[in-house]
Amino acid sequence: MALTYDTVAGAGPDLSAFLKPREGGAKGIDLLVQGARCANCMAKIEKGVAALPDVEAARLNLTSGKLTVTFRTGAVANPGAVLTTVEGLGYSATPFDPGAAVEAHDREGRRLALALGVAAFGAGNAMMFSVPLWAGLFGQELGPATRTMMQWWSALIGAPCALYAGMPFFQSAWRSLKVGRANMDVPISIGVLLTLAISFVETLLHGRDAYFDAAVSLLFLLLIGRWLDHQLRAKARSAAADLLALQAPYAVVLDEAGHEQRKPLAEVAVGDRLIVRPGERVPVDAVVEAGSAELDNALLTGETRPEPVAAGSRIQAGALNLTGVLTLRATVKSEDSAVAAIARLVEAGTQSRSLYVRLADKAAAIYVPVVHTAAALTFVAGWALGLGPREALLRAVAVLIITCPCALGLAVPAVQINASGGLFRRGVLVKSGAALERLAEIDHVVFDKTGVLTEGRPHLIEAPAGLVALAAPLARASAHPLARALAAEA
């Protein structure tokens, strides 16, 4: 989907139509940011956006790529400046659209899988020619001509594969360098390219060693980590998506003549009249106009006892109609419904920074200057201590390659996201990542009312077996909790 924006002089593109209300009367905007992959990227974007005047808070979710920006209450919101700032930092940004986010995520997954396959092919086949060089498998030292031929064959396979497989790192590094900054992919890219360059020089000068297989093997291992990270994000993103999936995919709307018409949930407007039959979920928050029924609100309240509703009752999206046909009038749009609010709560829980996330972010943020300094000092010290430029450069390249702390910036947020998603699937909503840490310090748990410590499913205690056998066929046709208990007993 291509989007174009009108440009406001000195303020960036005009994105005022994408502003959303926030709590306390403030306004905000959600952007889809592509290219951010580590804690250093996240810290850079958040600090850059938060430094803008009138911006109160900025939070980037690496899992979904969603940048949530809140402007100060009463300030003149300038969302175009936010988008311009993000792009100025070397990342692409567009107004957030869930469908576009999923499409971008899938496209990135296919790209990583292809790069990983090319790297695996290159590593395996380049080693066919490099292993004899390292191990002397022919039973004697190879002659100079044979050694050079082996190196050129290794280059013919390894170098093109390394250049292609390294594109995700090279492009990310180039975007960062274009705006005068350095991310974690910069030292990786420098290390790989220098390794290839040294290998070509060694081959041309009939040197002893070349490292084409090492360069493509390194990319193969790095791409495995990046692909696993990609899969982790897809898994972590599923908690809020699973919750939204509990909404009805469509709504049955009554027109002025009383005819029924199915509409996608996003097209339901405030004031529309809806029909909800037994076994269906309420699509949006609404008021009952006609009919009576019992609703299962366990998704919303945790209470498993069916709640009776009749004309005039206010009901929320996500409630399951157990018995009668209801005619409703929508009071909010789908994105403002109770289920959508809970989904935002779940997403906020995965984004919130716990103590360990903040510590990991700080450690990863200082990586780039420290590792470049260490590599430079390694080169200078090696040369000063008597190593030749080649040997000193090889050691500096090794420092660049082996010190990437991507795992440091990803491990703690990954644990928090997976824990939050796993707890949600067990019926527990996590509002803050710090709450997970504080659980380790808990000595007592206090519950405020009865009915909470149950399995959430009624069980038949006692009934004549003959009566149960007669009632079971009828019970199986009903979604009512008591009917299900009777059917289960039978």
Side-chain angles (χ1 to χ4, degrees):
M1 178 176 62
L3 297 175
T4 57
Y5 315 106
D6 296 328
T7 300
V8 179
D14 182 11
L15 302 180
S16 57
F18 296 95
L19 286 173
K20 296 181 178 180
R22 301 280 197 238
E23 292 184 5
K27 292 184 177 180
I29 188 171
D30 297 330
L31 297 178
L32 173 61
V33 177
Q34 298 184 48
R37 293 186 177 86
C38 63
N40 192 34
C41 299
M42 183 171 67
K44 180 168 59 177
I45 293 171
E46 290 178 353
K47 289 179 180 178
V49 174
L52 293 173
D54 302 328
V55 172
E56 180 177 351
R59 183 69 177 119
L60 175 63
N61 185 337
L62 283 177
T63 303
S64 61
K66 184 177 182 179
L67 175 63
T68 302
V69 180
T70 302
F71 297 97
R72 302 184 193 280
T73 304
V76 178
N78 185 5
V82 174
L83 185 141
T84 302
T85 299
V86 174
E87 292 182 340
L89 294 172
Y91 304 91
S92 62
T94 57
F96 185 81
D97 175 71
V102 172
E103 182 181 346
H105 188 271
D106 293 342
R107 186 167 57 250
E108 177 70 8
R110 292 192 295 270
R111 181 186 178 212
L112 287 175
L114 182 58
L116 180 60
V118 171
F121 171 84
N125 287 276
M127 285 182 183
M128 289 194 303
F129 302 100
S130 61
V131 167
L133 298 179
W134 298 113
L137 295 180
F138 291 102
Q140 58 184 354
E141 189 67 27
L142 298 178
T146 305
R147 176 175 291 275
T148 300
M149 181 189 70
M150 290 284 193
Q151 289 175 338
W152 277 116
W153 277 108
S154 182
L156 184 64
I157 296 174
C161 290
L163 291 174
Y164 181 85
M167 289 306 294
F169 304 96
F170 302 155
Q171 291 174 347
S172 173
W174 175 244
R175 285 195 300 267
S176 182
L177 291 173
K178 277 199 305 184
V179 295
R181 298 176 181 270
N183 60 14
M184 290 186 183
D185 290 333
V186 171
I188 293 174
S189 301
I190 293 175
V192 169
L193 293 175
L194 282 177
T195 300
L196 292 175
I198 291 172
S199 300
F200 274 113
V201 171
E202 287 290 293
T203 302
L204 288 170
L205 297 179
H206 305 290
R208 190 191 69 175
D209 300 320
Y211 307 96
F212 298 107
D213 59 326
V216 70
S217 297
L218 170 69
L219 289 170
F220 173 64
L221 296 175
L222 289 173
L223 284 167
I224 289 176
R226 188 150 290 187
W227 185 81
L228 289 174
D229 169 56
H230 177 84
Q231 296 300 107
L232 169 68
R233 296 186 189 192
K235 179 181 177 182
R237 191 179 58 194
S238 67
D242 288 347
L243 182 58
L244 289 175
L246 294 178
Q247 287 182 299
Y250 60 88
V252 179
V253 181
L254 295 175
D255 60 20
E256 295 181 356
H259 298 137
E260 296 182 6
Q261 178 185 3
R262 289 190 177 187
K263 280 188 178 181
L265 206 57
E267 296 181 9
V268 176
V270 176
D272 280 353
R273 295 177 68 234
L274 315 173
I275 289 288
V276 178
R277 293 181 171 84
E280 298 178 347
R281 289 195 180 271
V282 177
V284 296
D285 295 1
V287 174
V288 179
E289 280 198 344
S292 61
E294 288 185 315
L295 302 183
D296 179 358
N297 286 312
L299 170 67
L300 304 166
T301 65
E303 299 290 350
T304 57
R305 186 186 300 274
E307 178 185 352
V309 295
S313 300
R314 289 188 170 272
I315 59 178
Q316 295 179 313
L320 179 64
N321 186 358
L322 297 175
T323 53
V325 178
L326 296 176
T327 302
L328 313 176
R329 187 169 295 276
T331 56
V332 300
K333 299 184 69 175
S334 60
E335 60 264 29
D336 299 320
S337 67
V339 173
I342 296 175
R344 287 192 291 270
L345 189 67
V346 172
E347 184 180 19
T350 62
Q351 292 188 67
S352 60
R353 278 186 175 146
S354 64
L355 172 63
Y356 297 114
V357 172
R358 293 194 298 270
L359 290 176
D361 287 354
K362 289 179 180 178
I366 64 174
Y367 159 73
V368 173
V370 169
V371 75
H372 280 89
T373 302
L377 290 176
T378 300
F379 177 78
V380 173
W383 202 349
L385 292 175
L387 294 177
R390 171 185 170 277
E391 293 295 330
L393 183 60
L394 284 175
R395 284 158 175 76
V397 169
V399 171
L400 288 175
I401 288 176
I402 68 175
T403 53
C404 178
C406 289
L408 176 65
L410 293 172
V412 178
V415 170
Q416 178 179 309
I417 290 170
N418 267 328
S420 299
L423 285 171
F424 160 72
R425 283 182 279 274
R426 289 162 176 81
V428 180
L429 301 183
V430 178
K431 186 176 180 182
S432 169
L436 293 174
E437 296 169 3
R438 291 200 298 271
L439 283 174
E441 305 169 2
I442 287 177
D443 298 312
H444 298 81
V445 180
V446 179
F447 296 92
D448 66 340
K449 57 184 176 179
T450 60
V452 175
L453 302 180
T454 67
E455 293 183 358
R457 298 183 303 274
H459 295 277
L460 185 63
I461 298 175
E462 184 180 356
L467 188 59
V468 171
L470 290 173
L474 293 174
R476 290 192 184 98
S478 173
H480 195 282
L482 297 182
R484 289 177 179 174
L486 182 62
E489 180 67 19

